[in-house]
């Protein structure tokens, strides 16, 4: 069945993309070798596009089974990503991937290892009288594990590095860690710290990303960790935005305080949760290659040092995205407070996202003419408050008190009048309608003549009139 379906795809795609065979000319369906030969005569870029279109729908594998030539071409995409369970790493296996596939792998995805200190957990559960069959089954795999399991993980890290060194095209590692709340030693899955450090130490790895915690709260973080990271070009660390308390772990902060400064020379992309970001470390070093910076989350109180000073030593920055929440008791914080005399540090900036923008921020009047994207919205989005979204109610239960200060149309008009960015191509704003709304929209139409995308998230008070058709028509005409 798979072969028949793949053969049909092959015929359709061949007709669609081939410039040699007219669509009306019959193509033999009996001999896939002939069809495969003609199909492979297509341009390489076209073939890659075809395979990429088929892959998300799980249709690439049946196509690859039609004949050997097509199978060989598909291998680069089929085996581009390699997923490995961490238990395979900690089991001490000498090889986690068949040698015949080494030349195709570009990205390795190790998934989290469930962490137990078996003897300690066994004692605690027995003393508490809560030891049951489930607990026994969870501990069964660890009964034969050495008492010092960190030494076993060190050994596994060495084996893992040796395996990674055998993959000639490998340049990306993406870690997926299981997250449960609260983060407890009996519930979380993370890649063991020795294996994480082993991954980062491989010189061929240029792109590293992690969804979930980097390490476990019980992992000992040694200040004397010796690791060199000049090869890493992108470091992306993602945690769920709406995770409950505790949102900050000392082990994570300590680890990032060691790793992030070692990345400064050649790093191009950095994504971090603000709760774990070593803000004091950033302004102490030059970041000559950094092109994109994303900070997200929320601090209990704003930092004492303005962000314009914290991020001042990043002269090549082209994309800055600040998804930062406001706690109750604090209003929107300016990136560049008034009265602070500094130079604009990002002359090549093209994309800027500022959640919960401050209308009087000095940043707006200094934005360069190279700007192409500007996003000014609430975080969390105001509609989530308006409709009692489940994620926000979970935050309240977890004692995370964020607010979404919605700017008025008058405030947004004041903000945009400060911008001198006629080359802007995409603008996204969120505001509450008031008497200045029409002036705001007309200003957008005149101040940004190159605009191609305009996203308005508009909240209309009960007694506010609808947007006038005349104003809407003027906006439309300016964008056409």
């Amino acid at each position: 069945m798979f072969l028949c379906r793949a053969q049909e795809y092959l015929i359709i795609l061949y007709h669609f993309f081939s410039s040699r065979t007219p669509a009306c000319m019959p193509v033999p369906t009996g001999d896939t070798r002939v069809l495969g030969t003609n199909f492979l005569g297509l341009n390489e870029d076209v073939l890659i596009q075809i395979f990429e279109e088929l892959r998300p729908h799980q249709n690439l594998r049946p196509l690859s089974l039609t004949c050997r030539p097509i199978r060989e071409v598909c291998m680069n995409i089929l085996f581009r990503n390699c997923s490995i369970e961490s238990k395979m790493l900690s089991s001490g296996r000498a090889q986690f991937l068949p040698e015949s596939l080494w030349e195709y792998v570009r990205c390795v995805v190790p998934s989290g290892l469930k962490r137990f200190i078996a003897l300690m957990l066994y004692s605690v559960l027995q003393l508490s009288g809560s030891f049951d069959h489930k607990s026994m089954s969870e501990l069964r795999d660890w009964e034969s594990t050495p008492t010092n399991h960190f030494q076993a993980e060190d050994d596994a890290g060495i084996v893992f590095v040796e395996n990674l060194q055998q993959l000639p095209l490998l340049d990306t590692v993406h870690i997926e860690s299981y997250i449960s709340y609260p983060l407890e030693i009996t519930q979380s899955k993370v890649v063991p710290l020795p294996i994480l450090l082993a991954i980062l130490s491989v010189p061929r790895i240029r792109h590293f990303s992690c969804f979930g915690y980097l390490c476990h709260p019980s992992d000992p973080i040694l200040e004397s960790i010796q690791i060199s990271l000049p090869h890493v070009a992108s470091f992306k660390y993602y945690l769920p935005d709406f995770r409950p308390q505790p949102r900050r772990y000392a082990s994570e902060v300590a680890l990032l305080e060691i790793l992030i400064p070692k990345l400064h020379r050649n790093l191009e992309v950095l994504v971090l949760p603000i709760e774990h970001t070593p803000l004091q470390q950033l302004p102490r070093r030059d970041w000559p290659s950094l092109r994109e910076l994303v900070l997200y989350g929320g601090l209990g109180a704003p930092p004492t040092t303005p962000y314009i000073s914290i991020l001042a030593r990043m002269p090549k920055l082209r994309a800055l995205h600040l998804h930062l929440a406001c706690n109750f008791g604090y209003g929107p914080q300016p990136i560049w407070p008034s009265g602070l005399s500094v130079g604009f540090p990002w002359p090549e900036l093209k994309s800027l996202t500022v959640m919960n923008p401050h209308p009087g921020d000095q940043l707006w009047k200094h934005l360069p003419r190279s700007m192409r994207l500007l996003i000014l919205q609430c975080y969390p989005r105001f509609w989530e408050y308006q409709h009692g979204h489940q994620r926000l109610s979970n935050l309240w239960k977890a004692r995370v008190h964020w607010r979404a200060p919605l700017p008025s149309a008058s405030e947004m008009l004041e903000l945009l009048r400060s911008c001198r960015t006629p080359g802007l191509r995409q603008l996204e704003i969120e505001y509450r309608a008031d008497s200045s709304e029409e002036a705001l929209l007309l200003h957008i139409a005149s101040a940004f003549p190159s605009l191609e995308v305009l996203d308005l998230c508009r909240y209309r008070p009960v007694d506010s009139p609808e947007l006038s058709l005349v104003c809407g028509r003027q906006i439309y005409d300016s964008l056409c």
Side-chain angles (χ1 to χ4, degrees):
M1 178 179 176
F2 281 145
L3 286 176
C4 292
R5 182 178 299 172
Q7 193 171 337
E8 292 174 4
Y9 290 140
L10 188 56
I11 294 168
I12 294 171
L13 291 169
Y14 178 78
H15 278 310
F16 185 76
F17 286 99
S18 176
S19 59
R20 302 177 183 178
T21 307
C24 59
M25 183 179 293
V27 178
T29 60
D31 189 350
T32 56
R33 291 175 298 176
V34 175
L35 184 56
T37 302
N38 293 333
F39 182 69
L40 294 175
L42 295 174
N43 182 279
E44 182 180 354
D45 293 338
V46 175
L47 285 175
I48 292 174
Q49 181 65 32
I50 292 172
F51 297 157
E52 293 288 0
E53 293 290 337
L54 291 175
R55 191 169 187 267
H57 304 288
Q58 300 182 349
N59 293 325
L60 183 57
R61 183 175 178 271
L63 173 62
S64 72
L65 298 176
T66 54
C67 64
R68 185 180 297 276
I70 290 180
R71 174 73 173 180
E72 291 175 353
V73 177
C74 291
M75 293 282 276
N76 284 320
I77 297 178
L78 279 174
F79 299 102
R80 178 175 55 197
N81 300 331
C82 172
S83 180
I84 309 163
E85 292 187 14
S86 293
K87 64 183 180 182
M88 295 177 64
L89 308 180
S90 58
S91 64
R93 296 188 185 184
Q95 184 173 308
F96 62 80
L97 187 69
E99 185 174 352
S100 59
L101 301 179
W102 286 359
E103 62 181 297
Y104 305 111
V105 177
R106 292 179 177 271
C107 176
V108 170
V109 184
S111 56
L113 171 68
K114 203 159 193 176
R115 300 291 301 278
F116 298 104
I117 302 179
L119 296 178
M120 181 186 300
L121 183 61
Y122 184 91
S123 302
V124 170
L125 292 174
Q126 274 196 323
L127 290 173
S128 65
S130 60
F131 196 86
D132 54 19
H133 293 291
K134 181 181 179 182
S135 303
M136 178 64 78
S137 64
E138 290 175 336
L139 288 171
R140 191 170 293 144
D141 294 337
W142 285 85
E143 289 178 349
S144 59
T145 306
T147 303
N148 185 2
H149 69 281
F150 288 107
Q151 179 60 48
E153 290 169 358
D154 277 325
D155 296 339
I158 295 172
V159 173
F160 188 46
V161 168
E162 291 174 351
N163 278 272
L164 293 183
Q165 299 281 13
Q166 304 300 321
L167 309 178
L169 298 181
L170 179 69
D171 65 356
T172 303
V173 173
H174 174 70
I175 292 177
E176 295 178 353
S177 298
Y178 171 79
I179 299 178
S180 59
Y181 302 107
L183 184 63
E184 297 173 354
I185 198 167
T186 58
Q187 295 179 325
S188 64
K189 288 184 179 182
V190 295
V191 172
L193 182 59
I195 294 180
L196 172 66
L197 296 176
I199 291 171
L200 289 171
S201 66
V202 177
R204 193 177 290 118
I205 302 299
R206 287 183 47 78
H207 308 288
F208 174 83
S209 60
C210 175
F211 182 84
Y213 289 96
L214 286 169
C215 62
H216 195 275
S218 66
D219 279 342
I221 308 297
L222 305 177
E223 294 183 1
S224 59
I225 289 176
Q226 298 296 324
I227 185 171
S228 179
L229 303 172
H231 50 279
V232 178
S234 69
F235 187 96
K236 301 178 181 181
Y237 175 25
Y238 299 100
L239 287 173
D241 287 353
F242 292 84
R243 64 190 186 279
Q245 298 281 16
R247 295 179 58 86
R248 186 176 187 270
Y249 285 93
S251 58
E252 297 273 314
V253 175
L255 180 59
L256 288 173
E257 284 181 346
I258 295 172
L259 296 181
I260 297 303
K262 297 179 183 294
L263 297 168
H264 75 100
R265 192 169 302 280
N266 297 310
L267 192 69
E268 297 175 8
V269 179
L270 180 61
V271 180
L272 290 174
I274 192 66
E275 295 90 345
H276 294 156
T277 301
L279 294 177
Q280 294 180 344
Q281 299 277 359
L282 297 182
R284 295 177 183 174
R285 290 168 176 80
D286 289 322
W287 302 80
S289 303
L290 194 64
R291 301 290 193 273
E292 180 179 354
L293 175 65
V294 180
L295 299 177
Y296 63 91
L299 296 172
T304 54
T305 304
Y307 283 106
I308 192 73
S309 300
I310 294 174
L311 311 177
R313 299 175 71 173
M314 304 174 180
K316 298 296 183 181
L317 202 64
R318 295 181 180 178
L320 175 60
H321 304 290
L322 301 176
H323 299 256
L324 304 178
C326 290
N327 266 22
F328 272 90
Y330 298 95
Q333 299 299 308
I335 309 300
W336 187 341
S338 89
L340 181 63
S341 180
V342 294
F344 185 75
W346 316 303
E348 299 180 15
L349 193 66
K350 294 182 180 295
S351 300
L352 176 64
T353 299
V354 178
M355 296 302 198
N356 304 318
H358 190 289
D361 198 323
Q362 283 197 89
L363 178 65
W364 316 127
K365 68 174 71 171
H366 291 92
L367 290 178
R369 299 177 71 87
S370 60
M371 285 288 299
R372 296 294 180 266
L373 169 68
L374 181 60
I375 299 177
L376 306 167
Q377 295 174 336
C378 296
Y379 176 78
R381 301 302 297 275
F382 189 78
W383 58 263
E384 294 183 293
Y385 283 92
Q386 211 173 35
H387 299 289
H389 199 276
Q390 182 63 39
R391 294 192 301 175
L392 286 177
S393 56
N394 290 340
L395 277 180
W396 279 94
K397 292 176 185 176
R399 306 186 308 280
V400 179
H401 298 156
W402 287 353
R403 58 188 292 259
L406 182 66
S408 65
S410 301
E411 292 172 323
M412 190 59 67
L413 176 60
E414 175 192 351
L415 188 160
L416 292 179
R417 277 177 172 166
S418 301
C419 299
R420 298 292 183 267
T421 54
L424 200 67
R425 293 178 182 171
Q426 182 171 344
L427 175 65
E428 300 180 20
I429 59 175
E430 185 172 9
Y431 64 93
R432 182 185 69 254
D434 64 10
S435 59
S436 298
E437 182 180 25
E438 187 169 337
L440 166 66
L441 298 177
L442 292 176
H443 174 76
I444 291 174
S446 61
F448 309 115
S450 302
L451 208 60
E452 298 173 356
V453 177
L454 176 61
D455 187 341
L456 302 177
C457 189
R458 174 183 184 265
Y459 298 88
R460 182 172 63 89
V462 176
D463 58 346
S464 174
E466 293 287 352
L467 183 64
S468 74
L469 293 177
V470 175
C471 181
R473 181 66 185 180
Q474 288 175 312
I475 293 287
Y476 175 81
D477 292 339
S478 70
L479 292 175
C480 291

